[in-house]
Amino acid sequence: MGEVDQAFIQSIQHRANLDTIEIEGIPLINLSLSHTTDINLLVSEIGNACKNWGFFQVINHGVPLELLDKIKVAAKAFFDQPMEEKRKVKRDEVNPMGYYESEHTKNVRDWKEVFDFLIKDPTFLPASPELEDDEMRTLSNQWPENPPQFREVCQEYAREVEKLGYKLLELIALSLGLPSNRFNGYFEDQLSRMRLNHYPPCPCPELALGVGRHKDAGALTIVAQDDVGGLQVKRKSDGVWVPVKPTPNALVINVGDIIQVWSNEAYESVEHRVVVNSERERFSIPIFFFPSHYVMVKPLEELVNEGNPPKYKPYNFGKFNVARNRSNYKKLEVQNIQISDFKII
């Protein structure tokens, strides 16, 4: 990725302001109950973070720190390989798992390369986004032969973060006044996936973005990042882009569109993006928690009433996911499918 190709260039209103300003960051929450013996206090902190920011960082999260180090080393080892080696596991429209280097967000190419794999392998999802089409297809992971131990480290890390994901979903459920296990059943045949991101140095970081502004379509995202920084969150109160400062051993959490719908907008999925720099490469490792393909996503009955009627029509997550993924491969003439398409006006 030498000079900046036209495909990467953001329109002027969406370019990053790279002036560094010190700004109050997203909340940092200690998940250790020995630190805050009162679970209600922790639940309240989680609820406030979801309501006011949609993003927070967690420490004492239970994911072994040596595993966090190992997954970052594995990511670098994979992306440091020659392009012909990485392309042996290149993804395509038939199998969207594996390596890819030309993803688009909002129809502009991202300055990054990625490797994706499913948490549950194989995974079943609809063959097409058409509602009347009942055909299913099977997705499977494709793993590279090199680097050695890559698959094992990725899968071990995913298992540990999956446990944290359920713990966070339980805390979010409690913060909404629901039973702690309220969300668990939606994930029995989950479509969740993990991604390794590599953002190379960019010769013109003021023109391109590592990932353009977007919201996450799933329920929850858990991100490990290195010490370089680049993730920015659009602050709800005033629309200012706030940098997420890398915190040693912390993981970054954000609620996605599905929690926005389930909570009937008590919590909101927030726009975020990744800025790049001209000197240092950056790595991040998100896990996207997606429910089963047959889940109908809609505001939860316990959270709607006459004074707070449902704000969304139900939608099938599998169909939504298939429609959404199609636009990652190529520039489309139309806007990607969004939860706003199901909003009740």
Side-chain angles (χ1 to χ4, degrees):
M1 291 181 171
E3 281 308 300
V4 175
D5 184 286
Q6 196 67 32
F8 292 102
I9 295 179
Q10 297 283 331
S11 57
I12 289 170
Q13 74 269 33
H14 296 308
R15 291 176 193 170
N17 175 2
L18 299 176
D19 298 337
T20 50
I21 44 167
E22 275 305 310
I23 205 166
E24 184 204 355
I26 64 172
L28 179 66
I29 297 175
N30 187 341
L31 291 184
S32 164
L33 277 175
S34 56
H35 156 74
T36 142
T37 45
D38 185 1
I39 179 100
N40 294 325
L41 186 59
L42 179 57
V43 166
S44 166
E45 276 189 88
I46 296 274
N48 287 335
C50 291
K51 188 167 189 280
N52 299 327
W53 283 91
F55 264 82
F56 52 97
Q57 296 197 68
V58 293
I59 53 171
N60 293 323
H61 40 65
V63 177
L65 300 183
E66 65 273 15
L67 196 50
L68 264 177
D69 291 337
K70 276 165 80 173
I71 192 66
K72 290 170 188 173
V73 168
K76 180 164 173 54
F78 174 76
F79 289 117
D80 277 353
Q81 297 179 113
M83 184 59 81
E84 60 268 23
E85 195 66 33
K86 292 183 280 195
R87 283 195 171 141
K88 287 178 183 174
V89 288
K90 188 175 167 72
R91 81 185 198 193
D92 55 37
E93 288 197 50
V94 177
N95 186 357
M97 295 300 118
Y99 174 74
Y100 200 56
E101 81 290 0
S102 49
E103 191 159 82
H104 289 71
T105 304
K106 308 270 190 213
N107 278 342
V108 182
R109 191 171 164 190
D110 296 328
W111 190 270
K112 68 175 182 189
E113 51 180 349
V114 306
F115 178 84
D116 289 328
F117 70 92
L118 299 157
I119 304 297
K120 198 176 175 86
D121 184 18
T123 285
F124 305 97
L125 80 170
S128 84
E130 310 308 323
L131 293 178
E132 61 281 358
D133 184 357
D134 292 334
E135 191 186 341
M136 300 295 292
R137 66 183 179 125
T138 306
L139 282 190
S140 297
N141 291 328
Q142 45 176 345
W143 293 101
E145 288 177 25
N146 290 304
Q149 301 298 303
F150 178 76
R151 176 178 183 166
E152 290 75 9
V153 172
C154 285
Q155 290 178 324
E156 188 186 354
Y157 178 78
R159 278 193 298 273
E160 290 297 330
V161 177
E162 187 183 9
K163 289 180 207 164
L164 173 61
Y166 279 113
K167 181 177 177 180
L168 289 165
L169 285 168
E170 288 175 1
L171 290 166
I172 290 168
L174 290 170
S175 76
L176 289 164
L178 301 166
S180 63
N181 65 352
R182 181 62 177 88
F183 300 131
N184 294 18
Y186 295 125
F187 294 87
E188 279 177 25
D189 297 300
Q190 58 181 312
L191 302 182
S192 304
R193 58 196 60 184
M194 177 165 142
R195 163 168 287 187
L196 308 178
N197 284 314
H198 175 226
Y199 304 96
C202 177
C204 301
E206 69 285 355
L207 296 180
L209 288 169
V211 186
R213 74 200 191 284
H214 67 286
K215 297 180 179 187
D216 288 355
L220 196 66
T221 307
I222 300 180
V223 186
Q225 58 171 348
D226 61 17
D227 62 349
V228 174
L231 177 61
Q232 295 185 338
V233 175
K234 195 171 190 179
R235 188 161 57 192
K236 282 176 67 175
S237 57
D238 56 9
V240 166
W241 287 101
V242 176
V244 175
K245 196 174 174 186
T247 302
N249 303 326
L251 292 166
V252 181
I253 317 297
N254 64 286
V255 300
D257 289 347
I258 290 176
I259 282 182
Q260 177 169 321
V261 174
W262 280 342
S263 72
N264 208 33
E265 295 188 355
Y267 299 157
E268 216 177 302
S269 175
V270 172
E271 265 196 326
H272 49 289
R273 67 184 184 185
V274 174
V275 300
V276 284
N277 70 79
S278 56
E279 280 133 42
R280 294 183 67 190
E281 63 181 351
R282 176 177 180 262
F283 297 92
S284 72
I285 300 120
I287 290 190
F288 303 98
F289 284 86
F290 292 161
S292 313
H293 70 83
Y294 45 77
V295 167
M296 293 300 292
V297 180
K298 61 182 180 179
L300 298 177
E301 289 166 15
E302 304 96 311
L303 301 178
V304 298
N305 54 45
E306 214 173 305
N308 182 30
K311 294 184 168 74
Y312 295 89
K313 293 177 282 193
Y315 64 92
N316 173 275
F317 184 70
K319 294 289 188 186
F320 181 94
N321 186 249
V322 171
R324 179 103 167 190
N325 278 348
R326 290 194 166 183
S327 70
N328 289 345
Y329 296 94
K330 51 186 178 275
K331 201 163 173 171
L332 297 181
E333 295 309 312
V334 292
Q335 162 107 349
N336 201 348
I337 189 169
Q338 308 285 342
I339 55 166
S340 54
D341 298 334
F342 302 94
K343 181 104 187 202
I344 297 169
I345 297 160

